Amino acid sequence: MEKRATIKDVAEAAGVGVATVSRVLSGGSASPRTRERVLAVAAQLDYRPSALGRNLRQRRTGGIGLLVPDLTDTFHAQLAEGVLACARPAGEPVVLGSTGGDPEQESELIGMLLEQSVDRLVAVPSGDEETWAPAIRAGMTVVFADRLPAGPPAADDDPAAAAVDDLLLLDGLAPAPPPPGRALDVPSVVADDRAGIRTAVRYLRGLGHKRIAFLGGPGHDRRAAAFREAVGAPVDEELVVFGTGSRDSAYAAASGLFQSRPDLSAVVAGGNVLGEAAVLAARELDLRVPRDVSLVMYDDVPWAELCSPPLTVIAQPGRDMGYRAAELVLRSGGRRQRSVVLPTELIIRGSCGPHR
Amino acid sequence: MEKRATIKDVAEAAGVGVATVSRVLSGGSASPRTRERVLAVAAQLDYRPSALGRNLRQRRTGGIGLLVPDLTDTFHAQLAEGVLACARPAGEPVVLGSTGGDPEQESELIGMLLEQSVDRLVAVPSGDEETWAPAIRAGMTVVFADRLPAGPPAADDDPAAAAVDDLLLLDGLAPAPPPPGRALDVPSVVADDRAGIRTAVRYLRGLGHKRIAFLGGPGHDRRAAAFREAVGAPVDEELVVFGTGSRDSAYAAASGLFQSRPDLSAVVAGGNVLGEAAVLAARELDLRVPRDVSLVMYDDVPWAELCSPPLTVIAQPGRDMGYRAAELVLRSGGRRQRSVVLPTELIIRGSCGPHR
DNA sequence: AAGCATGATGGAATCGTTTCCATGGAGAAG
DNA sequence: CTTCTCCATGGAAACGATTCCATCATGCTT
């Protein structure tokens, strides 16, 4: 419980000034003689500079914040591991927050990070651009991973927007995905959802499936849009359903989908929690996979192989995604970074069969 | 990008001294008139006290550290969520580190936390007591979760220790589990491994199984000991095998076990990663669960139900464990806390069958 | 009415670091 | 030999909060 040595102690013991010690320790210029002495004394006193003093002086906390909706979503855990893997060698502490998918909690956590002067942040956002504006305004360096915040409220009662969407859909084009950080100008690292979903839908089509459903969760809007695009007009909107984030709600959504539309023959789940729910709901309703219903799940997770049949998945590199995002946030010395889109891969296992 | 208002700005704008502002904001005494004015000004300037200044002054960083071996182990993710759930309402930031099960990395991360003056820590330890001694000596408040650090080196070449172990085993007693923090005097929150394992073994025995194996990972020594105790002498040590932490190594261990001992009829996996490996290895070797081999897995995770058959598990409350540990670490205002042992529950699903 | 207690208030020290600036000495160039 | 340059060095000022302590006003007691 002895208290730690400060730079002053080291200076005194080495018979030099504190400035010199600081310089030696942070690679400034110093004569070899003093450098050696200071180093020796520091080692002997087991001196470790206090991040507190440094941070205060430099008006910023080192380290990077990490905000995810839910760690028990294996994909987010993978992503977090990636961030940690990048931060560790850099000696940067990672401050973790889990938002539960709730924009309000997200907002609070951003506030907390701000208070801590954590000025670099990797986030899987839950809130919309409005939620994120304060962080940006405060000068945080933010990198979004896996998703982008939804655009401004985009009220349901905005007929113009809806019309545009329709038009685009009828043309077989995706509604323009929120342009990466147009409003916010924030770089991001995301998977190529469009290609991933398209590949999956084509694959299912190739197996003869006509009625394909999309089961999404919060933040899966881009995937849903990609799905609509891949399916092509006319989109049967009853086949695009969303859960709200909890496992229960995902299960309810899946179960509701299966029950309300017994005619569907294939499901694309927008994330592993949704995939899990789909398997469970199907089993409960005595639907057999893949005989009665085919299933493709977004996210490759270790347990996908454990299911029987093992799940066919759209793999996205969660760990890489986290790593790259952390890299971006660490490297951006103030200058803008380019966004990154990582490839997805359709891994065919056993959860899809021919349409009967 | 405007810089944040400081306490000085508020003081100036309110026409009072900084001391008064500080007092008002931290609940000290002040006249209603000034209090009101200061509050108004603070709100208007959107003032948020900087944790940096406060921490430096108080010589401690708020917040709590969290060290786990691997977040993609779903149990650790649950535990982490528990810690976060407790820390969030308290407004405490959580600094996360993942050690990969490597004592050396763990040591480095402890050093990093020390540097950050994070003085409260919840840890699922990987290293032994020697690894943890520095943290304790430095005055950190540590709470171990899920496991305790292994006792001192307990060198393989220490015949005395080995002999004692043998003796105890022959007596059908578990080698005394490292007394919770005897050497280290650190409180902990763990599951009742002994009861959990015993129940599982009895259950398997009840199904007629004679040759039961234990498949463990790093940190599962207490569970292995409990297993040995539950099985009773003589323990067939070939049936107690360990992986080193990675999924590959777990798979190798499981596969090796099945191949070297085709006579075994049931396996207790010491954790969900091991359970996953066991299912995979069994499938690869064309062993059917539960017809050819019965399986009980420690940890209840959402995907346990997805396997077919759904896995019978020893459930331990991961989220609670994290929550309680965080509570302990937050509440201990310097004074010692009592360790907590949480109950386990055998959840019978479909992965165990009668011995044939 | 004078002295005393009480409570609000602001100045200043403090925490441990980095960094600006002034100083001083040594070597080089004239 | 003088002057100029360069570099190592240490003192001191930040950074933004908390907190001790002195000051001052007010109201009460005697």
Side-chain angles (χ1 to χ4, degrees):
Chain A
M1 189 86 87
E2 72 269 20
K3 59 180 164 304
R4 282 166 51 187
T6 76
I7 199 175
K8 213 169 155 186
D9 299 328
V10 177
E12 228 158 273
V16 299
V18 290
T20 304
V21 176
S22 174
R23 265 187 301 257
V24 168
L25 264 355
S26 45
S29 70
S31 79
R33 243 175 60 70
T34 26
R35 148 164 278 117
E36 198 183 346
R37 199 167 64 234
V38 168
L39 253 25
V41 171
Q44 200 239 317
L45 291 189
D46 190 30
Y47 168 70
R48 318 181 57 114
S50 152
L52 256 36
R54 178 187 358 226
N55 291 345
L56 176 56
R57 172 63 220 241
Q58 309 189 328
R59 251 112 69 77
R60 52 176 285 260
T61 296
I64 96 182
L66 171 60
L67 252 40
V68 297
D70 173 19
L71 273 182
T72 66
D73 177 329
T74 312
F75 174 73
H76 294 145
Q78 291 174 341
L79 194 146
E81 278 287 344
V83 170
L84 291 174
C86 179
R88 185 171 30 229
E92 301 277 1
V94 172
V95 180
L96 173 67
S98 135
T99 65
D102 177 9
E104 200 166 323
Q105 276 190 53
E106 189 170 69
S107 230
E108 272 174 41
L109 284 167
I110 292 174
M112 190 258 278
L113 291 174
L114 237 31
E115 195 158 311
Q116 300 290 328
S117 304
V118 172
D119 58 357
R120 292 173 299 182
L121 178 53
V122 171
V124 177
S126 295
D128 56 18
E129 299 192 339
E130 210 173 334
T131 309
W132 284 95
I136 313 297
R137 265 205 308 274
M140 266 188 164
T141 301
V142 180
V143 171
F144 290 126
D146 182 49
R147 349 172 152 157
L148 304 172
D156 295 345
D157 51 49
D158 181 353
V164 168
D165 258 9
D166 271 351
L167 221 60
L168 288 166
L169 287 174
L170 289 171
D171 283 344
L173 291 170
R182 179 180 50 97
L184 250 38
D185 199 34
V186 166
S188 60
V189 181
V190 298
D192 189 349
D193 286 346
R194 194 125 157 261
I197 295 280
R198 195 196 312 130
T199 309
V201 169
R202 286 206 184 138
Y203 170 63
L204 289 170
R205 280 266 168 79
L207 288 170
H209 294 281
K210 298 277 186 264
R211 306 214 174 284
I212 308 175
F214 178 83
L215 180 61
H220 294 163
D221 320 81
R222 283 172 66 243
R223 291 175 195 168
F227 174 78
R228 294 196 180 91
E229 176 192 354
V231 165
V235 176
D236 183 345
E237 286 293 340
E238 260 186 36
L239 291 181
V240 180
V241 304
F242 281 84
T244 60
S246 69
R247 288 191 152 79
D248 284 351
S249 135
Y251 179 84
S255 187
L257 177 65
F258 286 137
Q259 291 181 61
S260 68
R261 293 297 298 260
D263 58 322
L264 66 80
S265 69
V267 174
V268 176
N272 70 83
V273 174
L274 284 307
E276 176 193 319
V279 173
L280 250 30
R283 179 184 303 165
E284 195 61 35
L285 295 169
D286 264 327
L287 295 171
R288 297 237 285 273
V289 176
R291 225 195 47 176
D292 301 321
V293 59
S294 289
L295 177 63
V296 180
M297 172 172 93
Y298 221 102
D299 297 343
D300 189 24
V301 293
W303 49 263
E305 255 187 295
L306 295 188
C307 294
S308 50
L311 301 182
T312 292
V313 300
I314 303 164
Q316 56 172 341
R319 208 188 144 85
D320 282 0
M321 197 175 285
Y323 194 94
R324 300 289 296 270
E327 238 177 7
L328 242 53
V329 92
L330 284 180
R331 277 221 290 256
S332 84
R335 55 189 184 295
R336 286 273 297 124
Q337 297 279 329
R338 306 185 46 126
S339 291
V340 175
V341 175
L342 298 175
T344 61
E345 186 191 356
L346 182 68
I347 299 183
I348 297 177
R349 296 205 260 252
S351 63
C352 297
H355 180 46
R356 303 177 318 129
Chain B
M1 188 86 88
E2 73 269 21
K3 56 181 166 305
R4 282 166 51 189
T6 74
I7 198 175
K8 214 170 157 186
D9 299 327
V10 177
E12 229 158 90
V16 299
V18 290
T20 305
V21 176
S22 174
R23 265 187 302 255
V24 168
L25 266 352
S26 43
S29 72
S31 79
R33 242 175 63 69
T34 24
R35 147 164 279 117
E36 199 183 344
R37 200 167 63 234
V38 168
L39 252 24
V41 170
Q44 201 240 318
L45 292 188
D46 190 31
Y47 168 70
R48 318 182 57 116
S50 153
L52 257 38
R54 182 191 351 236
N55 291 345
L56 177 56
R57 173 63 219 244
Q58 311 190 328
R59 255 121 49 91
R60 53 177 285 259
T61 295
I64 96 183
L66 171 59
L67 252 39
V68 297
D70 173 20
L71 273 182
T72 67
D73 176 328
T74 311
F75 174 74
H76 294 144
Q78 290 175 341
L79 193 147
E81 279 287 344
V83 171
L84 292 173
C86 178
R88 184 171 32 229
E92 301 277 1
V94 171
V95 180
L96 173 68
S98 135
T99 64
D102 177 10
E104 201 167 323
Q105 277 190 53
E106 190 170 68
S107 230
E108 273 174 39
L109 285 166
I110 293 174
M112 191 257 279
L113 291 173
L114 237 29
E115 195 158 313
Q116 301 289 328
S117 304
V118 172
D119 58 358
R120 292 173 300 182
L121 178 54
V122 171
V124 178
S126 296
D128 55 20
E129 299 194 339
E130 208 174 336
T131 309
W132 284 94
I136 313 297
R137 265 204 309 271
M140 266 188 165
T141 301
V142 180
V143 171
F144 291 125
D146 182 51
R147 347 171 154 159
L148 304 172
D156 296 345
D157 49 51
D158 182 352
V164 168
D165 259 8
D166 269 352
L167 221 59
L168 288 166
L169 288 173
L170 288 171
D171 283 345
L173 292 170
R182 180 182 49 98
L184 249 39
D185 200 32
V186 166
S188 59
V189 180
V190 298
D192 189 349
D193 287 346
R194 194 124 155 261
I197 295 280
R198 194 196 314 128
T199 310
V201 169
R202 285 206 186 137
Y203 171 63
L204 289 170
R205 281 268 169 77
L207 288 170
H209 294 280
K210 299 276 186 268
R211 305 214 175 285
I212 308 176
F214 178 82
L215 180 60
H220 293 165
D221 320 81
R222 280 172 67 244
R223 292 178 194 164
F227 175 79
R228 293 195 181 94
E229 176 192 355
V231 165
V235 175
D236 183 345
E237 286 293 340
E238 258 187 36
L239 290 181
V240 180
V241 304
F242 281 83
T244 60
S246 69
R247 287 191 154 77
D248 284 351
S249 134
Y251 179 84
S255 187
L257 176 64
F258 286 136
Q259 291 182 60
S260 68
R261 294 295 297 260
D263 58 323
L264 67 81
S265 69
V267 173
V268 176
N272 70 83
V273 174
L274 284 308
E276 176 194 319
V279 173
L280 251 28
R283 179 184 303 165
E284 194 61 35
L285 295 170
D286 264 326
L287 295 171
R288 298 238 284 274
V289 176
R291 224 196 46 179
D292 301 322
V293 59
S294 289
L295 177 63
V296 180
M297 173 171 93
Y298 221 101
D299 296 343
D300 189 22
V301 293
W303 50 261
E305 255 188 294
L306 296 187
C307 294
S308 51
L311 301 183
T312 291
V313 300
I314 303 165
Q316 55 172 341
R319 208 187 144 84
D320 283 0
M321 196 175 284
Y323 194 94
R324 301 289 297 269
E327 239 177 6
L328 243 52
V329 92
L330 283 180
R331 279 223 286 258
S332 82
R335 51 190 187 296
R336 284 274 298 129
Q337 297 280 329
R338 305 185 46 125
S339 291
V340 174
V341 175
L342 299 175
T344 61
E345 185 191 356
L346 182 67
I347 299 183
I348 297 178
R349 295 204 260 252
S351 62
C352 296
H355 180 45
R356 304 175 317 131

